[in-house]
Amino acid sequence: MPEKIAILADSGSDVPAELLNKYDNIEVAPMLVTMAGEEYRDNVDITPEEFYARLGKADQFPKTAAPTQGSVEAHVDALRKRGFNHIIGITVSAKLSTTFGIFTNVARELTDIKMEVINTKNIGIGSGLFAVYAEEMIDCGQSFEETMSFLKQSIKNSRTFFYIPSLKYLRAGGRIGRVAGLVGSVLNIKPVIATDSNGVYFPVAKARSEQKAISKMVALVEKLIAANKSVRVGVANGADVPLQEKVYDRLHKTFPQLKIYRGSISPALGVHTGPGLVGVGVHIGEGK
């Protein structure tokens, strides 16, 4: 039987919308967001615009949960009905969510479909770019095993960077990781945070102003792009499109031939970062 390869990602991976619109072999399992006692499916029952509008009025911090095993199984079933017999699972860092474990449990129980799951050790658009890379390889006729091998090899060098104006949401959500040392600083620190090789947040740069923080983040991104040939890049925002466009314009000016994806941070991620975030994902594939 010929391989028909599909992709199943979690909503926290922020797979670019244009990829979802172009391909019929991608499903997204939504994380769950609880606000004011009501539960919403991430990017299904609540959009980023609706979420951020409500976040500023919330009496308490919202909460998130990974997709249920039942919902992941339902998405697998949808792909099965469309004739797919191989599935690449793509999830945000296992250090930041239990989604990888849930996807893995589903994959382990499948008997008629071969499914393997990638812990990207990234988050948001940085994780979503793994889906872009996977589609590139599928389009080129790579086998399932070859595609999985290249995806696994790409984890070690791919990174997510983001700027956030406040650390209070990371602290409240318990996702602060190695950024904890910045909390309580009497200085008005504007941090640039990245995911490390284990998929944990850490402060990669800090500045006294938003403009300087953005400049430092862009410089880090440009250095990583310039050092590699097989690169995918995406820029995403949490209720700050103008700031996202500034970052996009700077990167596009430096690398005019490079495709740069744009999108919104999903509500499930916005719970932990708050408004004002601008993030950049850099996926590094094979080849120098």
Side-chain angles (χ1 to χ4, degrees):
M1 181 184 297
E3 292 184 349
K4 286 198 67 179
I5 306 172
I7 296 169
L8 176 58
D10 60 10
S11 64
S13 292
D14 287 338
V15 176
E18 61 186 274
L19 201 73
L20 297 176
N21 293 333
K22 182 178 179 180
Y23 294 94
D24 71 347
N25 67 326
I26 308 176
E27 289 278 319
V28 177
M31 293 181 167
L32 301 173
V33 178
T34 301
M35 295 186 77
E38 292 192 34
E39 189 174 79
Y40 303 90
R41 289 172 298 169
D42 187 33
N43 266 324
V44 176
D45 303 320
I46 187 167
T47 66
E49 292 76 18
E50 292 167 339
F51 169 74
Y52 285 109
R54 294 184 58 184
L55 182 62
K57 304 172 186 175
D59 295 329
Q60 54 186 345
F61 286 104
K63 296 181 179 180
T64 62
T68 65
Q69 182 157 329
S71 75
V72 175
E73 290 169 345
H75 287 286
V76 169
D77 191 50
L79 291 168
R80 178 189 290 113
K81 289 177 179 177
R82 298 208 291 275
F84 295 101
N85 51 28
H86 290 71
I87 298 176
I88 298 168
I90 293 175
T91 76
V92 299
S93 171
K95 295 288 188 179
L96 301 173
S97 171
T98 59
T99 307
F100 174 73
I102 293 168
F103 272 46
T104 301
N105 287 340
V106 171
R108 191 179 295 123
E109 294 176 2
L110 293 173
T111 57
D112 60 332
I113 292 177
K114 184 173 181 59
M115 178 176 175
E116 287 192 41
V117 188
I118 294 288
N119 167 18
T120 67
K121 298 186 179 180
N122 278 266
I123 195 159
I125 188 65
S127 183
L129 292 172
F130 280 77
V132 174
Y133 189 41
E135 282 293 359
E136 289 177 5
M137 288 185 284
I138 293 169
D139 286 351
C140 289
Q142 297 278 14
S143 70
F144 179 77
E145 295 298 333
E146 289 169 334
T147 301
M148 289 301 302
S149 177
F150 281 121
L151 283 168
K152 290 174 183 176
Q153 291 174 46
S154 73
I155 295 171
K156 64 182 181 295
N157 294 321
S158 301
R159 291 288 179 269
T160 306
F161 303 88
F162 61 93
Y163 158 77
I164 50 174
S166 171
L167 293 173
K168 72 175 184 178
Y169 292 92
L170 274 184
R171 180 173 52 183
R175 301 300 201 278
I176 201 158
R178 291 166 56 197
V179 184
L182 295 181
V183 174
S185 172
V186 296
L187 303 175
N188 185 26
I189 295 296
K190 300 294 184 182
V192 176
I193 297 168
T195 48
D196 66 12
S197 59
N198 293 314
V200 176
Y201 293 147
F202 77 107
V204 69
K206 52 188 177 182
R208 296 291 183 87
S209 70
E210 178 175 279
Q211 182 176 347
K212 289 181 179 179
I214 292 296
S215 292
K216 288 187 176 184
M217 180 175 73
V218 171
L220 288 167
V221 169
E222 289 178 342
K223 182 178 180 181
L224 191 55
I225 295 172
N228 295 275
K229 289 183 179 179
S230 177
V231 180
R232 280 138 293 278
V233 178
V235 183
N237 81 95
D240 198 335
V241 174
L243 189 57
Q244 172 191 273
E245 291 306 291
K246 286 181 181 178
V247 173
Y248 172 86
D249 289 343
R250 289 180 62 171
L251 291 173
H252 180 65
K253 183 177 180 180
T254 307
F255 304 100
Q257 305 305 317
L258 182 65
K259 166 71 175 177
I260 302 176
Y261 293 90
R262 284 178 281 190
S264 298
I265 303 291
S266 70
L269 301 186
V271 167
H272 303 292
T273 55
L277 176 148
V278 172
V280 183
V282 184
H283 181 276
I284 307 299
E286 287 300 293
K288 283 284 185 179

